[in-house]
Amino acid sequence: MKYLVGFSRIIVGILFIISGFIKLNDPVGFSFKLEEYFSQGVLNLPFFEPYALYISVFVVIVEVLLGVMLLVGFRVKFTVWSLLLMIIGFTFLTFYSAYFNKVTDCGCFGDALKLTPWQSFTKDIVLLLLIIILFVGRRFIQPIVGDNAKRIITVVALVICGLYANHVLKHLPVIDFRPYNIGANIEEGMGIPEDAPKAIYDYAWKFNVNGEEQTIVTQGDYPTVDGEYVSVETTEVQAGYEPPIHDFTIEQNGEDFAASLLQEPKLVMVVAYDLQKTNTNVYSELKKVTDRAIKNGYKVIGMSASNNEQSSELVKRYSLGFEFYFTDETALKTIVRSNPGLLVLEKGTIKQKVHYNDMDELKFE
């Protein structure tokens, strides 16, 4: 039991620190995932949505701290109880997502590692078993350093987490795991290689044969049956290749201009996924920055999921020198974790990407 507890302690501690740090690197992204869980049709807890970012920061910092406290052996009873309660909550959410197919990505490891709902649930079941072992054998969890050292390590971890969270919230994630990272080409990210695996489907054909219903399963071919066709049900048995960037459009008046705009040698994108939630206090400065870009020969466009009335009102209020296009809200949230955020592209390749707090760092050559 002693060695089993020791093994579980290392695995659980390291996984909680890694999982927590990845989400701490992008708490805004994790808050979007929490909003999905809180929304109507999932957990039906919409009153939590305005607080999703605060909950996100709190949860990920606690996750990291519990991993640290477990490894150093600080306040073992509190730590193990907290780990157990947290993993029970995570397991419920991943099971709910998988069984009801509500949230297709739990966000357990942010954008660094995508897991299917059932993979996430399996991962949580394994962690739950390991934490139960820790709970039962908690007397074997001995501190690896003295009392003062344990407190210092825990406090230092808390301070580092707080400072790191503050930094990424005021700027952008230090490590960008998304397909819109600096250096990525959006058009290439939407492409599908010729040798990419294709989706495989089972077709369950139902026929009425001599008054009895008969089902024949094929993978596409229409079966030869001496009977009357009734219906067919399709089931995906193997997912095909999905490009890292999909559902990306830049629309205006129902026309998609993405292909032509991604060929622009000098393009600035002002991304504001929701104009009702955007930080309007920075638009006076944003106008100066975009005017400077236009003066230097750049084409500037706005991208939002808001309607034309809202975008036109914003353009008029701040005398902006560019127009807004429509893009899917999820895509815009993925592109940049800032509302607004700015990108500089060269023929579809992202050269610069900044939070609105860092607009003055943009260089227009």
Side-chain angles (χ1 to χ4, degrees):
M1 188 64 181
K2 178 180 179 181
Y3 294 108
L4 195 56
V5 168
F7 171 79
S8 301
R9 176 183 182 179
I10 293 171
I11 298 299
V12 172
I14 291 175
L15 276 178
F16 264 69
I17 291 172
I18 292 174
S19 173
F21 173 75
I22 290 173
K23 293 194 287 288
L24 184 63
N25 177 68
D26 185 13
V28 174
F30 186 50
S31 73
F32 292 152
K33 190 60 59 179
L34 291 179
E35 287 178 2
E36 282 189 61
Y37 279 111
F38 295 147
S39 65
Q40 295 286 351
V42 184
L43 295 178
N44 294 317
L45 299 171
F47 47 86
F48 279 127
E49 289 184 39
Y51 310 103
L53 183 57
Y54 302 103
I55 296 172
S56 166
V57 173
F58 175 77
V59 169
V60 297
I61 289 179
V62 168
E63 195 172 350
V64 173
L65 287 180
L66 289 176
V68 171
M69 291 167 69
L70 178 64
L71 291 179
V72 301
F74 183 51
R75 299 204 172 178
V76 173
K77 185 177 180 180
F78 169 82
T79 300
V80 174
W81 267 106
S82 299
L83 287 169
L84 184 61
L85 293 174
M86 182 171 278
I87 197 61
I88 288 173
F90 287 163
T91 305
F92 166 75
L93 288 177
T94 52
F95 171 77
Y96 185 88
S97 298
Y99 187 80
F100 294 102
N101 195 31
K102 291 291 187 179
V103 180
T104 55
D105 173 24
C106 72
C108 306
F109 294 98
D111 291 289
L113 178 62
K114 296 288 188 179
L115 299 176
T116 66
W118 284 115
Q119 287 173 336
S120 300
F121 175 66
T122 303
K123 179 264 300 179
D124 284 343
I125 287 294
V126 172
L127 275 175
L128 178 60
L129 293 175
L130 293 175
I131 292 173
I132 288 174
I133 291 172
L134 292 174
F135 185 83
V136 173
R138 56 187 179 275
R139 66 184 182 280
F140 295 109
I141 302 176
Q142 299 298 321
I144 61 172
V145 292
D147 289 343
N148 288 334
K150 288 187 295 185
R151 294 188 181 90
I152 291 171
I153 291 172
T154 303
V155 170
V156 168
L158 175 60
V159 171
I160 291 174
C161 286
L163 292 174
Y164 194 83
N166 181 66
H167 175 79
V168 295
L169 288 173
K170 289 186 176 180
H171 304 281
L172 290 178
V174 175
I175 307 171
D176 194 345
F177 294 106
R178 288 156 293 151
Y180 298 94
N181 58 296
I182 294 175
N185 184 281
I186 295 177
E187 201 164 35
E188 291 177 3
M190 292 190 287
I192 300 178
E194 292 183 3
D195 58 348
K198 293 179 171 51
I200 298 176
Y201 297 90
D202 275 348
Y203 294 82
W205 306 88
K206 293 183 180 180
F207 294 89
N208 188 331
V209 180
N210 297 325
E212 294 184 1
E213 187 176 277
Q214 183 177 341
T215 300
I216 299 175
V217 179
T218 71
Q219 289 193 338
D221 297 331
Y222 187 86
T224 302
V225 179
D226 187 13
E228 180 185 355
Y229 167 80
V230 177
S231 63
V232 63
E233 293 182 2
T234 306
T235 306
E236 185 179 65
V237 294
Q238 179 180 306
Y241 174 83
E242 183 177 65
I245 297 176
H246 51 277
D247 298 331
F248 177 87
T249 61
I250 307 176
E251 299 177 16
Q252 197 173 72
N253 299 321
E255 184 178 353
D256 185 8
F257 292 89
S260 60
L261 287 170
L262 292 177
Q263 293 304 313
E264 288 284 344
K266 292 183 174 183
L267 178 67
V268 174
M269 291 179 173
V270 177
V271 176
Y273 73 88
D274 188 338
L275 296 181
Q276 290 185 322
K277 297 179 180 179
T278 193
N279 186 350
T280 55
N281 295 326
V282 302
Y283 275 85
S284 295
E285 181 63 27
L286 185 145
K287 173 177 168 52
K288 296 177 183 177
V289 171
T290 53
D291 284 351
R292 178 160 56 90
I294 294 170
K295 185 178 180 180
N296 281 272
Y298 283 78
K299 181 176 181 62
V300 180
I301 63 171
M303 297 169 64
S304 178
S306 299
N307 59 44
N308 288 333
E309 184 180 345
Q310 291 173 324
S311 60
S312 298
E313 196 277 331
L314 187 74
V315 168
K316 182 179 179 181
R317 190 195 318 171
Y318 294 98
S319 301
L320 301 177
F322 58 89
E323 295 180 322
F324 273 86
Y325 291 74
F326 175 84
T327 300
D328 177 72
E329 182 173 322
T330 301
L332 294 176
K333 287 179 175 180
T334 306
I335 291 172
V336 61
R337 305 300 201 202
S338 176
N339 187 13
L342 289 89
L343 290 81
V344 178
L345 289 83
E346 179 183 317
K347 292 189 175 181
T349 298
I350 300 171
K351 295 297 185 179
Q352 301 176 69
K353 180 165 69 169
V354 298
H355 191 281
Y356 58 73
N357 286 326
D358 303 313
M359 289 187 292
D360 58 334
E361 295 180 5
L362 289 175
K363 297 177 182 179
F364 303 115
E365 299 175 354

